[in-house]
Amino acid sequence: MSEYHFPRQDAQFVLDHIVEFPLICDRLGQEELNSGLNDAILEEAARLGSEVLAPLNKIGDQAGAQMVECGVQEAAGFKAAYQQFVENGWPSLAGDPAYGGQGLPKTLSTAVMEIWQSSNMAFSLCPLLTQGAVEAVSEHASDALKKTYLEKMISGEWTATMNLTEPDAGSDLAAIKAKAVPEAGNYKIFGQKIFITWGDHQMTDNVVHLVLARLPDAPAGVRGISLFIVPKFLVNADGSLGARNDVKAVSLEHKLGIHASPTCVMSFGDSDGAVGYLVGEPHTGLACMFTMMNDARQGVGLQGLAVSERAYQHALAYAKERLQGTLRDGSRLAIINHPDVRRMLMLMKSGTQAMRALTYVAASQADNLEVLKTTGSVSDAAICQARLDLYTPIVKGWITEFAQELTSLGVQIHGGMGFIEETGAAQHFRDARILPIYEGTTGIQGLDLVGRKTLADNGQSLFALLDEISCELASLEVGEIFTQELSNAIEAEQSVRDGVDWLLSHKEEAPAIGVNLMMSLGYLCGAWLMLRSAGKAQALSGNTDTDPLFLESKQVSARFYCEHFLPRVKMHLQTMKAGSASMMALEIEQF
Amino acid sequence: MSEYHFPRQDAQFVLDHIVEFPLICDRLGQEELNSGLNDAILEEAARLGSEVLAPLNKIGDQAGAQMVECGVQEAAGFKAAYQQFVENGWPSLAGDPAYGGQGLPKTLSTAVMEIWQSSNMAFSLCPLLTQGAVEAVSEHASDALKKTYLEKMISGEWTATMNLTEPDAGSDLAAIKAKAVPEAGNYKIFGQKIFITWGDHQMTDNVVHLVLARLPDAPAGVRGISLFIVPKFLVNADGSLGARNDVKAVSLEHKLGIHASPTCVMSFGDSDGAVGYLVGEPHTGLACMFTMMNDARQGVGLQGLAVSERAYQHALAYAKERLQGTLRDGSRLAIINHPDVRRMLMLMKSGTQAMRALTYVAASQADNLEVLKTTGSVSDAAICQARLDLYTPIVKGWITEFAQELTSLGVQIHGGMGFIEETGAAQHFRDARILPIYEGTTGIQGLDLVGRKTLADNGQSLFALLDEISCELASLEVGEIFTQELSNAIEAEQSVRDGVDWLLSHKEEAPAIGVNLMMSLGYLCGAWLMLRSAGKAQALSGNTDTDPLFLESKQVSARFYCEHFLPRVKMHLQTMKAGSASMMALEIEQF
């Protein structure tokens, strides 16, 4: 059994020194968090994660979910764990206090979510998707719908799902065919949805489905999609549960990973139609969906960090134990002492630290936005929102791709044992493989980055990010020992800037080069934040109660990141500038 | 069900124009192969692969192998397929004619082996390992042992295994504990071996185990290991099978992939000792093992090519069928038309082509060596042998790592369907994951490259390879359209050369930098051979009966390779030159 421990020291360092979370709390008027409450929350979450969720991770992988007569039966132990999770108030952490939420900052709830996702990614997908649905309902639904649904979704008493994909409509949402027919002031929903995560289970009394469908008068394409709430059980006026709605899970997928997370084929309206309630205005489903999805995309990026961290801990424990090679005195050597194993561990360690820094920075941007919405100018808030939007495809795209490499290294460090399922290293590798696919593939993230996030504003918000990176690197005090790393990072930033200029003068190349630009930007952001970390660690050395061994390791980790990952920035850009000519040159018959 | 078709056009192009196989046949005195026999052999192998082995690939993945009373039961259909495989004479293709082999060139048997490994990697591991054992027995065993075992191993009537690993001795063979006790002119073997591929099955009457063990007077470490033949059934003087030997499979591993290939825990000497026969001199087991393993390592590299090719064909078929997105006229677009999907397909296409070129070039080196052994000088043969030895860690290390990326792209191209096991794309990804682990991990290949293959001869054979690459690139006639690619490749070659110089003056860094040097060399070799391909394709254009569409696509593929993979050469070298300082800086407590 692999144990999981929240990497408290690194997370705390990122919170305190990279995103300056205490300052955010002050600005949000939540100063009380700084007097020990943040720490207490993280400590409690870490305990639940390690003691309750983590031990279920392998059990869930082996048992999976099953179709039974009443619907989908989740793996043994999951219901009790979920009930404890709800009773302890974890789902409501960042929820709106008007609906029973605790209104805590997004940065904090992100750190807590890292714990859930590392402990048990398959389990924690359920609250992650519910949170996305909460965002969509909060922002777009009528007060009546909010009154009926929001409180129980925020508390976790009910879970929620995102019903987008259909057999012919995956990345191409324009092809959605599910129908919504007006009836008795509401709607009847008909259609089939696939790949619905946690589409059914027995952990809660009700499941709230958010469903994209077309009204009868809908225009073709994405401008004709509307969003509906379709509960598993109808809700009476007094809030009690009524009749079973005409929606059910009809089958489960047999997947490569996240076995404990039921991936359902959902059927709506097999009998007389599933009762649905319109969220927002007709035909604005795409916007509502993006509210839900942008939150989920950041969450999936966080999963990439979380599963990499878990894989790292797993591999590290093995590397400390496994003996191979003998010293002259006859004693045997743990493989962590072999340079190539050390190389792989350092790749995992420095890589997850960079992921964590970027994920928390992106989350803190949401809190900054909250502050600006009340105290800032409209234009400052807009700039902040644009930065948050820009981070989304980087967090989702770069981190989830990066997680493929890091979880694979976790297997490799185990040698032959890594290929044996019993060891558990392979589970993280299998689980991670979904991350660059769901909630918008890496290709879709690339398109989002170059299209909506760059060409749409002529590069303005991307240049603003690069300006910030460039200014910070130019003034960073990391001493002589980082001269080379700093100069490489400055050069890398300049390369990305050139790359964006190239894109702006080669707009027609955008669809072909998105992924390479995104990857280069991700590795650059990682270097920027790791160098910031090195600077902070140096500044803290000697005059602080922070563990000096940790501060030293943080600098080593930053240097290693710059040596091993920073060169990738230029590599991706060089490839990017080759454009699409050879990519698109062949006729289909030539493949 | 995914179909498999041998990529005949590309393989033929590599054989005819990259390795000049017709010339090799002439030099080997096997001119008759050039008059249609080679073609006929490949055609027949392709048919058996597509029609018999490929359909069993998914069946084997789902069924796996099982422990039954008599030992290990392979998946349904495998025995009949194996019998057909043997009856058609496939195992003996490259075998020594003195023992019933067909004595065909290694280059040809490698192309044929590609077919087996693409069709069904789990099945084809069995003949691959038998072939390695044949090499070891041919080179090191007494005539008496050869007479008893070799003919039936070459014919495939009996299969063979490699018994190296023990629970405490994986990469560290010095730790081997299995014992060999002299008795009645032979030996009794005692001990446990793990991870024994195809350690038992019911496809043949006998299984010949090659086992590393220690004699009573053996010195400690790797210089005290001897190699033994331990048959499952003893063999009578007349060649008939005698008593069951005291060796058996005691359990099977539950693995991430290659489910149909039984991975056994083997127990030797549970009763009164397993009868074993010494191969070669006492305490020379390591050398015998390397004969076996070097062959197997090239075979595993070939598996990397083969499974990538299979994954590519799988993804390509899906990309042509799957519709997402709509054109203005209302017709829907196959995803192969989307630039990012095209990018992934081209990565897979050009990547597998580069792998194939290098694999066949390495195989042809073995044939060149045969020629030189009879007609060349001793020093020419030694140079040729050194080149062959140099290729081994590149073929094994680079190709199997590269295969991780390409098979993962195969999943990605399928989108959500790629994560569903039923689709089959995930099998290739799972199967491929063993390749950088078995027969020496990637780390071990890196050590082999920098140690035995570079530092040991002061870089001589590596510089000879770089000289050849450099000369060829300088004189390559690929026309103006390849100016940029050529100049980048020349620059990349110079970077690798600088890297080797750096290594020679930083010998103490060797253990830390092997993998990065190996990867840079692999990508460089790929570019070299792809540019050679582009040149040949240009030269053939217009005055040949080769398909002009193929010749054009070969040039496009070469260009794409240079744009997308060549920049990695410098990236790996830049990282390499950072050395081990940050890698080894942390105390174990700081992880």
Side-chain angles (χ1 to χ4, degrees):
Chain A
M1 177 73 67
S2 101
E3 291 188 355
Y4 165 70
H5 301 286
F6 178 49
R8 184 66 186 274
Q9 223 170 8
D10 193 62
Q12 199 69 55
F13 180 86
V14 174
L15 288 173
D16 289 348
H17 306 295
I18 304 304
V19 306
E20 298 187 317
F21 185 56
L23 214 60
I24 292 175
C25 295
D26 288 350
R27 287 186 186 141
L28 285 167
Q30 303 206 27
E31 300 85 352
E32 72 283 5
L33 287 171
N34 290 329
S35 335
L37 191 54
N38 278 327
D39 299 345
I41 288 170
L42 287 172
E43 196 172 317
E44 275 308 304
R47 182 170 18 227
L48 186 72
S50 295
E51 294 177 7
V52 177
L53 302 185
L56 289 173
N57 194 41
K58 191 173 182 177
I59 292 169
D61 183 55
Q62 290 171 332
Q66 310 291 332
M67 284 298 306
V68 294
E69 202 168 350
C70 66
V72 175
Q73 177 63 56
E74 70 283 348
F78 274 52
K79 183 169 185 168
Y82 187 79
Q83 283 171 342
Q84 188 175 348
F85 186 74
V86 171
E87 279 160 18
N88 294 2
W90 292 112
S92 67
L93 218 57
D96 183 351
Y99 295 92
Q102 299 173 60
L104 293 172
K106 177 84 177 170
T107 311
L108 179 62
S109 72
T110 295
V112 169
M113 184 64 96
E114 181 191 330
I115 296 171
W116 311 145
Q117 301 296 343
S118 280
S119 303
N120 195 325
M121 200 171 93
F123 173 93
S124 306
L125 257 171
C126 190
L128 188 154
L129 290 175
T130 302
Q131 184 181 301
V134 163
E135 299 279 334
V137 171
S138 301
E139 193 152 329
H140 302 285
S142 66
D143 286 344
L145 282 175
K146 285 192 202 173
K147 186 168 173 297
T148 309
Y149 291 98
L150 208 47
E151 198 162 318
K152 295 199 168 171
M153 288 164 70
I154 285 176
S155 72
E157 198 176 334
W158 298 345
T159 67
T161 70
M162 293 168 60
N163 286 250
L164 281 54
T165 304
E166 298 177 6
D168 286 330
S171 297
D172 179 14
L173 291 172
I176 279 177
K177 287 188 190 133
K179 280 183 202 164
V181 182
E183 190 179 308
N186 288 312
Y187 299 86
K188 286 288 180 82
I189 310 293
F190 300 89
Q192 195 184 62
K193 295 285 180 177
I194 62 169
F195 297 158
I196 307 309
T197 299
W198 285 98
D200 193 34
H201 57 81
Q202 310 304 319
M203 301 195 301
T204 57
D205 293 339
N206 208 359
V207 179
V208 182
H209 303 292
L210 270 76
V211 185
L212 288 183
R214 285 184 189 285
L215 291 166
D217 60 343
V222 289
R223 292 176 200 288
I225 301 170
S226 304
L227 184 70
F228 300 86
I229 282 180
V230 182
K232 178 176 174 183
F233 286 95
L234 299 177
V235 183
N236 298 322
D238 64 356
S240 64
L241 291 185
R244 183 76 159 81
N245 202 355
D246 185 12
V247 48
K248 62 174 184 291
V250 291
S251 64
L252 289 176
E253 307 292 354
H254 173 220
K255 307 188 299 296
L256 175 60
I258 51 169
H259 292 160
S261 163
T263 302
C264 305
V265 175
M266 300 298 297
S267 189
F268 293 84
D270 274 358
S271 304
D272 58 345
V275 177
Y277 310 95
L278 183 65
V279 176
E281 295 301 309
H283 318 318
T284 64
L286 196 70
C288 303
M289 188 277 297
F290 266 114
T291 303
M292 177 159 72
M293 196 171 239
N294 279 335
D295 189 79
R297 283 180 177 175
Q298 298 233 7
V300 173
L302 177 66
Q303 289 187 314
L305 154 64
V307 73
S308 300
E309 171 67 35
R310 182 76 184 263
Y312 167 65
Q313 293 189 18
H314 207 139
L316 176 61
Y318 186 80
K320 285 178 177 175
E321 271 171 25
R322 170 73 174 166
L323 306 176
Q324 288 285 275
T326 309
L327 290 177
R328 281 194 194 150
D329 67 1
S331 64
R332 299 197 74 197
L333 217 55
I335 61 170
I336 191 173
N337 296 294
H338 293 303
D340 196 63
V341 173
R342 188 66 76 99
R343 181 184 66 88
M344 294 190 280
L345 286 169
M346 287 296 299
L347 288 170
M348 295 184 84
K349 183 183 179 71
S350 65
T352 49
Q353 287 185 351
M355 289 174 170
R356 179 173 297 111
L358 182 63
T359 310
Y360 289 19
V361 162
S364 72
Q365 199 67 14
D367 290 328
N368 290 334
L369 184 60
E370 284 308 307
V371 174
L372 288 172
K373 275 182 182 167
T374 51
T375 66
S377 68
V378 172
S379 79
D380 283 352
I383 289 170
C384 186
Q385 176 77 58
R387 171 68 63 87
L388 179 59
D389 293 346
L390 177 63
Y391 280 141
T392 302
I394 311 175
V395 167
K396 164 62 164 92
W398 174 64
I399 292 180
T400 65
E401 286 290 335
F402 200 7
Q404 305 309 302
E405 178 178 352
L406 300 189
T407 54
S408 184
L409 286 170
V411 173
Q412 189 71 19
I413 288 168
H414 284 81
M417 291 305 294
F419 200 64
I420 308 299
E421 286 287 2
E422 199 182 12
T423 310
Q427 184 190 345
H428 311 310
F429 173 69
R430 289 188 285 99
D431 285 354
R433 191 63 194 81
I434 190 59
L435 302 178
I437 296 175
Y438 65 17
E439 304 299 339
T441 63
T442 301
I444 294 290
Q445 303 309 315
L447 286 177
D448 184 42
L449 175 68
V450 292
R452 282 190 207 90
K453 308 297 164 63
T454 304
L455 293 181
D457 73 353
N458 220 20
Q460 202 178 330
S461 41
L462 184 42
F463 283 127
L465 171 62
L466 293 173
D467 288 345
E468 186 180 333
I469 293 175
S470 156
C471 283
E472 183 170 344
L473 292 177
S475 63
L476 204 59
E477 292 183 2
V478 278
E480 275 181 29
I481 55 162
F482 275 95
T483 307
Q484 187 63 53
E485 288 74 14
L486 205 51
S487 127
N488 290 346
I490 288 168
E491 215 180 297
E493 183 279 326
Q494 188 58 52
S495 307
V496 176
R497 189 177 292 271
D498 291 346
V500 181
D501 282 334
W502 184 93
L503 167 63
L504 291 172
S505 60
H506 295 80
K507 291 185 175 133
E508 70 290 354
E509 296 283 11
I513 60 93
V515 171
N516 275 302
L517 182 62
M518 182 197 77
M519 293 303 291
S520 70
L521 204 49
Y523 287 115
L524 176 66
C525 287
W528 162 49
L529 298 173
M530 290 300 275
L531 285 168
R532 182 191 292 179
S533 304
K536 297 282 180 181
Q538 279 187 14
L540 288 165
S541 291
N543 55 6
T544 170
D545 51 1
T546 311
D547 176 9
L549 283 177
F550 171 76
L551 293 176
E552 185 190 88
S553 81
K554 197 75 200 175
Q555 293 176 65
V556 168
S557 196
R559 180 189 311 283
F560 187 89
Y561 180 97
C562 290
E563 291 168 351
H564 288 254
F565 294 121
L566 191 53
R568 299 184 182 187
V569 173
K570 279 193 173 178
M571 176 200 76
H572 281 291
L573 290 166
Q574 195 176 337
T575 293
M576 184 192 104
K577 287 187 182 173
S580 64
S582 65
M583 191 184 295
M584 304 305 286
L586 296 186
E587 297 298 321
I588 290 176
E589 305 74 56
Q590 287 175 292
F591 275 89
Chain B
M1 179 71 69
S2 101
E3 291 188 355
Y4 165 70
H5 301 286
F6 178 49
R8 184 66 187 275
Q9 223 170 8
D10 192 61
Q12 199 69 56
F13 180 86
V14 174
L15 288 173
D16 289 347
H17 305 297
I18 304 304
V19 305
E20 297 188 318
F21 185 56
L23 214 59
I24 292 175
C25 295
D26 288 349
R27 288 186 186 141
L28 286 167
Q30 302 205 27
E31 302 83 352
E32 73 283 4
L33 287 171
N34 290 328
S35 335
L37 192 55
N38 278 328
D39 299 344
I41 289 170
L42 287 171
E43 197 172 317
E44 275 310 303
R47 186 175 8 232
L48 186 72
S50 295
E51 294 177 6
V52 177
L53 302 185
L56 290 173
N57 194 41
K58 192 172 182 178
I59 292 168
D61 183 57
Q62 290 171 332
Q66 309 292 333
M67 285 298 305
V68 294
E69 204 168 348
C70 65
V72 176
Q73 177 63 56
E74 69 282 350
F78 274 50
K79 182 168 186 169
Y82 187 78
Q83 283 171 343
Q84 188 175 347
F85 186 74
V86 171
E87 278 160 19
N88 293 1
W90 293 112
S92 67
L93 217 57
D96 183 350
Y99 295 92
Q102 300 172 60
L104 293 172
K106 177 84 176 171
T107 312
L108 180 61
S109 73
T110 296
V112 168
M113 186 63 98
E114 181 190 330
I115 296 171
W116 310 146
Q117 301 297 342
S118 281
S119 303
N120 194 325
M121 201 171 92
F123 173 93
S124 306
L125 257 172
C126 191
L128 187 153
L129 291 175
T130 302
Q131 185 182 301
V134 163
E135 300 279 335
V137 172
S138 301
E139 194 152 328
H140 302 284
S142 65
D143 286 344
L145 282 175
K146 284 191 203 174
K147 187 168 171 298
T148 309
Y149 292 98
L150 207 48
E151 199 163 317
K152 292 196 170 174
M153 287 164 70
I154 285 176
S155 71
E157 200 176 332
W158 299 344
T159 65
T161 69
M162 295 168 59
N163 285 252
L164 282 53
T165 303
E166 297 176 7
D168 285 330
S171 297
D172 179 14
L173 292 172
I176 280 177
K177 287 186 192 134
K179 281 185 203 165
V181 182
E183 190 178 307
N186 289 312
Y187 300 85
K188 287 288 181 82
I189 310 292
F190 298 90
Q192 196 185 63
K193 296 285 179 177
I194 61 169
F195 297 158
I196 308 308
T197 300
W198 284 98
D200 192 34
H201 58 81
Q202 310 304 319
M203 301 195 302
T204 58
D205 292 338
N206 208 359
V207 179
V208 181
H209 303 292
L210 271 75
V211 185
L212 288 183
R214 285 183 189 284
L215 290 165
D217 60 343
V222 289
R223 292 177 200 287
I225 303 170
S226 304
L227 185 69
F228 299 85
I229 283 180
V230 182
K232 178 176 174 183
F233 286 95
L234 299 178
V235 183
N236 298 321
D238 65 354
S240 65
L241 292 185
R244 185 75 160 81
N245 202 355
D246 185 13
V247 47
K248 61 174 184 291
V250 292
S251 64
L252 289 176
E253 307 291 354
H254 173 219
K255 307 187 302 295
L256 175 60
I258 52 166
H259 292 161
S261 164
T263 301
C264 305
V265 176
M266 300 298 297
S267 190
F268 293 84
D270 272 359
S271 303
D272 57 346
V275 177
Y277 310 95
L278 182 66
V279 176
E281 296 300 309
H283 318 318
T284 64
L286 197 72
C288 304
M289 189 277 298
F290 265 116
T291 303
M292 179 159 70
M293 198 172 238
N294 279 334
D295 189 80
R297 283 179 177 175
Q298 297 234 7
V300 173
L302 178 66
Q303 289 187 314
L305 154 64
V307 72
S308 300
E309 171 67 35
R310 183 75 184 263
Y312 167 65
Q313 292 189 19
H314 207 137
L316 177 61
Y318 185 80
K320 284 179 177 175
E321 271 170 24
R322 170 72 174 168
L323 307 175
Q324 289 284 275
T326 309
L327 290 176
R328 280 195 193 149
D329 67 2
S331 63
R332 298 197 75 197
L333 218 54
I335 61 170
I336 192 174
N337 296 294
H338 293 303
D340 195 63
V341 172
R342 188 66 76 100
R343 180 183 67 85
M344 294 190 279
L345 286 169
M346 286 297 298
L347 289 170
M348 294 184 84
K349 183 184 179 70
S350 65
T352 50
Q353 287 184 351
M355 289 174 170
R356 179 174 297 112
L358 182 63
T359 310
Y360 288 19
V361 162
S364 72
Q365 198 68 14
D367 290 328
N368 290 334
L369 184 60
E370 283 309 306
V371 174
L372 288 173
K373 276 181 182 168
T374 51
T375 66
S377 68
V378 172
S379 77
D380 284 352
I383 290 170
C384 186
Q385 176 77 58
R387 172 67 63 85
L388 179 57
D389 293 346
L390 177 62
Y391 281 141
T392 302
I394 311 175
V395 166
K396 164 63 163 90
W398 174 63
I399 292 180
T400 65
E401 286 291 335
F402 199 6
Q404 305 309 303
E405 177 178 352
L406 299 191
T407 53
S408 183
L409 285 170
V411 172
Q412 189 70 19
I413 289 168
H414 284 82
M417 291 305 294
F419 201 64
I420 308 299
E421 286 287 1
E422 200 182 11
T423 309
Q427 185 190 344
H428 311 309
F429 174 70
R430 288 189 286 99
D431 285 353
R433 191 64 194 79
I434 190 58
L435 301 178
I437 296 175
Y438 65 17
E439 304 299 337
T441 62
T442 301
I444 294 291
Q445 304 309 314
L447 287 178
D448 184 43
L449 175 68
V450 291
R452 282 190 206 89
K453 308 298 164 65
T454 303
L455 294 182
D457 74 352
N458 220 19
Q460 203 178 330
S461 42
L462 184 41
F463 283 129
L465 171 62
L466 293 174
D467 287 345
E468 186 181 333
I469 294 175
S470 155
C471 283
E472 183 171 344
L473 292 177
S475 64
L476 205 60
E477 292 183 1
V478 279
E480 276 181 29
I481 55 164
F482 275 94
T483 307
Q484 185 64 52
E485 287 76 14
L486 206 51
S487 125
N488 290 346
I490 288 169
E491 215 180 298
E493 184 278 326
Q494 188 58 52
S495 308
V496 175
R497 189 178 292 271
D498 292 347
V500 181
D501 282 334
W502 184 92
L503 167 64
L504 291 173
S505 60
H506 295 78
K507 291 186 175 132
E508 71 290 355
E509 296 284 13
I513 61 91
V515 171
N516 275 303
L517 182 63
M518 183 197 77
M519 293 302 289
S520 71
L521 203 49
Y523 287 116
L524 176 67
C525 286
W528 163 48
L529 298 174
M530 289 300 275
L531 284 168
R532 182 191 289 179
S533 303
K536 297 280 180 182
Q538 279 187 13
L540 288 165
S541 292
N543 54 6
T544 172
D545 50 3
T546 312
D547 177 7
L549 282 177
F550 171 77
L551 294 175
E552 186 190 87
S553 80
K554 197 76 200 175
Q555 293 176 66
V556 169
S557 196
R559 181 190 309 284
F560 186 88
Y561 180 97
C562 290
E563 291 168 351
H564 288 255
F565 295 120
L566 191 52
R568 299 184 183 187
V569 174
K570 281 194 174 180
M571 175 200 76
H572 282 291
L573 291 166
Q574 195 176 338
T575 293
M576 184 191 104
K577 288 188 184 173
S580 64
S582 65
M583 190 185 297
M584 304 305 287
L586 297 186
E587 298 298 322
I588 291 176
E589 304 75 55
Q590 286 176 294
F591 276 90

